[in-house]
Amino acid sequence: GENVGLHLPTLSVQEGDNSIINCAYSNSASDYFIWYKQESGKGPQFIIDIRSNMDKRQGQRVTVLLNKTVKHLSLQIAATQPGDSAVYFCAENKAGGGSNYKLTFGKGTLLTVNP
Amino acid sequence: EPEVTQTPSHQVTQMGQEVILRCVPISNHLYFYWYRQILGQKVEFLVSFYNNEISEKSEIFDDQFSVERPDGSNFTLKIRSTKLEDSAMYFCASSETLAGVPDTQYFGPGTRLTVL
């Protein structure tokens, strides 16, 4: 049937290259940001997070950069592997009622790693 | 590694029927959430739950939806009278939030709901 969903930005890279996935967020009051990876038919899987008092955080093969001035977030994946192929979502954690928070997800970027 | 689990993985129902989607959050987490993802679209927040009550809900979460923590381990989402447009993946998530500072939300594998 016709795909009436959102058109996802796509990024295609060669195995071993570095990948950079970008995200613009909307709420300057957001204080916590997360990158999730979603493989087909599965739930979002936590990759890395960063709080608004930081501008860079590194994990294993991944780095998240936060630019609060322009409300921009990026995820860098080093030495991309075929297993990294998935849709990557950034999410803002916005204060909800009381001390509880909800996530607002971005559109997602489809990363395809070519062997 | 502890994880959020959900059952069933796929639920098919007739329009107008009630469905209950089940989740077992991570055992030491105190905050629970439901999200949904219509095919090809963004993940959308439905509801958050803490201390046996709803903390926040979106405009999607109308009177047809309800949540419950019937015991110490399960967290359920009930849709009273399903509509075609309720067809989606429903994800449960849980988090441990410390002194009001948000913490990571961990997601389950989802339940695919198909309303015919």
Side-chain angles (χ1 to χ4, degrees), chain A residues 6-26:
Chain A
L6 294 172
H7 175 67
L8 283 181
T10 58
L11 176 66
S12 184
V13 301
Q14 290 297 122
E15 182 178 358
D17 287 353
N18 296 333
S19 303
I20 299 176
I21 300 171
N22 297 303
C23 176
Y25 65 92
S26 56

Side-chain angles (χ1 to χ4, degrees), chain A residues 5 12 18 49 54 59 66 72 75 80-81 83 115:
Chain A
S12 184
N18 296 333
D49 58 2
M54 303 171 68
L66 174 62
H72 183 268
L75 175 70
T80 316
Q81 302 167 1

